[in-house]
Amino acid sequence: MTIALRGLRLALVLAAAVLLLAAAPRSGSAQDYPNRVIKLVVPTPPGGMADLLGRVIATKIAENTKATVIVENKTGAAGLIAADMVAHSPPDGYTVFLTYHATQSILHLITAKMTYDPVKDFVPIIYVAIAPNVLIINPALPAKSVQELVAYAKANPGKLTYASQGKGTTGHLGGEMFKQAAGIEITHVPYRGAAPALQDLIGGQVGMMFDIVPLAREHITAGKVRALAVTSAQRSPVLPDVPTTTEVGMPEVQGGAWWGLVAPAGTPKPIVDWLNTETRKAFASPEVRDRLTEQGLTFFLGTPEQLAEHAAAETRRWGAVIEKAGIKPE
């Protein structure tokens, strides 16, 4: 075989190898995403609102794209453990976090030692939904409106108590915001979660509470608690007779629980765009949206930039309340 022929054969072999490498699947690349299991991390136990949203997203993306999407419930430290895990995962789109108001906009303001930065360590994907708070009181209190509740608190300084789901929750900070707006003193009674707080409110051990509409609605309807105002710009479709805080003269008292998708910083934009598009498709079904809207959720499903803007605005809102209330990081 001549040197020229051997050189030609070698060139052909090398060219074939290059073509095979180009055609081979590339793990984690944006071009072939997704080619393995996507893990959607939810920072709360199964059965809650976040878990429900996470499972809708996972199920519908799997149905619509044939991708494999699993939900992993990773609880603890109000979501800090889950957020930290995702923040330090590879930025390849295969670990996604269903973040919420606490992990994205509150906890870093009241936690002395943070292991992640909610802005620098994540890339926003989509702002999914919000559930406004509703101000509820024990029916034994002689107040049928927010104005009457404020008058009662002023006439009985130190007597009124409010339950919360724990320090740093929107129930806690919503109560502080209400105190600041009304110029009254109410004693904060923190609980470990919404269920025991609501149980003691119904039992009369505490006087009032800010809880999200989906959790409080059933008890409001049953007459176990009295709803005075929802903390949103518009009335809740599932509580149409309950005025907003704006209507009762407290437009600054706003807020509630909200959820969005984020991924580790550095996740390629094509993957972020794919996840954004498929999440919007997940809630495109009227059956899915109607079922969740009937529970008191409002959906946004916009751009990644809109989630970043919302999280920043929430940080400013709760940061001002925390500073004025003198709440120190622990």
Side-chain angles (χ1 to χ4, degrees):
M1 182 181 296
T2 65
I3 293 176
L5 186 57
R6 284 199 298 270
L8 177 61
R9 177 171 292 181
L10 178 59
L12 290 172
V13 170
L14 290 172
V18 170
L19 289 172
L20 285 171
L21 285 171
R26 289 166 288 179
S27 176
S29 69
Q31 288 82 357
D32 64 350
Y33 180 85
N35 64 5
R36 53 190 173 89
V37 175
I38 300 171
K39 181 167 61 179
L40 176 54
V41 179
V42 174
T44 55
M49 189 58 63
D51 181 66
L52 175 59
L53 288 171
R55 293 186 187 280
V56 167
I57 293 168
T59 301
K60 288 299 180 179
I61 288 180
E63 288 177 0
N64 294 338
T65 69
K66 308 307 178 187
T68 302
V69 188
I70 63 169
V71 170
E72 178 178 323
N73 299 91
K74 193 169 187 65
T75 62
L80 288 175
I81 294 174
D84 175 72
M85 184 195 79
V86 177
H88 295 95
S89 295
D92 53 13
Y94 292 100
T95 304
V96 182
F97 184 41
L98 185 68
T99 191
Y100 74 126
H101 51 274
T103 48
Q104 210 66 26
S105 295
I106 296 175
L107 291 175
H108 67 288
L109 301 174
I110 61 172
T111 304
K113 295 182 179 179
M114 289 289 292
T115 56
Y116 72 93
D117 186 304
V119 177
K120 295 179 180 178
D121 290 338
F122 292 112
V123 59
I125 296 172
I126 191 167
Y127 175 16
V128 178
I130 188 170
N133 278 330
V134 56
L135 169 56
I136 49 179
I137 65 172
N138 183 278
L141 281 176
K144 299 294 194 299
S145 68
V146 169
Q147 291 85 350
E148 290 181 5
L149 180 66
V150 171
Y152 173 83
K154 289 182 176 180
N156 299 272
K159 185 176 180 180
L160 189 60
T161 56
Y162 80 97
S164 81
Q165 305 84 348
K167 180 183 176 181
T169 61
T170 60
H172 171 207
L173 300 181
E176 291 297 325
M177 184 184 286
F178 181 74
K179 286 167 56 177
Q180 293 168 12
I184 56 177
E185 283 301 320
I186 316 172
T187 303
H188 176 218
V189 182
Y191 288 78
R192 291 189 174 183
L198 189 56
Q199 182 178 357
D200 272 9
L201 175 65
I202 293 170
Q205 282 76 29
V206 287
M208 57 173 278
M209 177 182 178
F210 285 88
D211 200 6
I212 61 171
V213 169
L215 295 182
R217 180 173 61 105
E218 179 182 342
H219 302 290
I220 295 169
T221 304
K224 294 180 180 179
V225 295
R226 181 181 300 137
L228 299 185
V230 290
T231 59
S232 55
Q234 291 82 34
R235 292 197 180 198
S236 170
V238 300
L239 296 172
D241 296 328
V242 180
T244 67
T245 46
T246 298
E247 290 177 88
V248 300
M250 292 187 179
E252 66 273 47
V253 180
Q254 299 279 315
W258 58 266
W259 300 267
L261 283 185
V262 296
T267 301
K269 189 176 185 304
I271 291 178
V272 170
D273 291 342
W274 187 93
L275 289 165
N276 178 284
T277 298
E278 294 306 327
T279 302
R280 283 189 282 111
K281 289 180 182 177
F283 294 98
S285 163
E287 177 187 358
V288 170
R289 289 193 62 148
D290 289 350
R291 176 164 58 93
L292 294 171
T293 300
E294 286 171 2
Q295 296 190 42
L297 292 176
T298 299
F299 289 90
F300 287 86
L301 303 170
T303 65
E305 292 75 19
Q306 287 173 321
L307 171 57
E309 291 168 4
H310 175 71
E314 286 285 280
T315 298
R316 291 191 297 271
R317 178 208 304 275
W318 296 125
V321 173
I322 289 167
E323 182 178 6
K324 189 171 182 179
I327 300 170
K328 303 298 182 184
E330 295 180 357

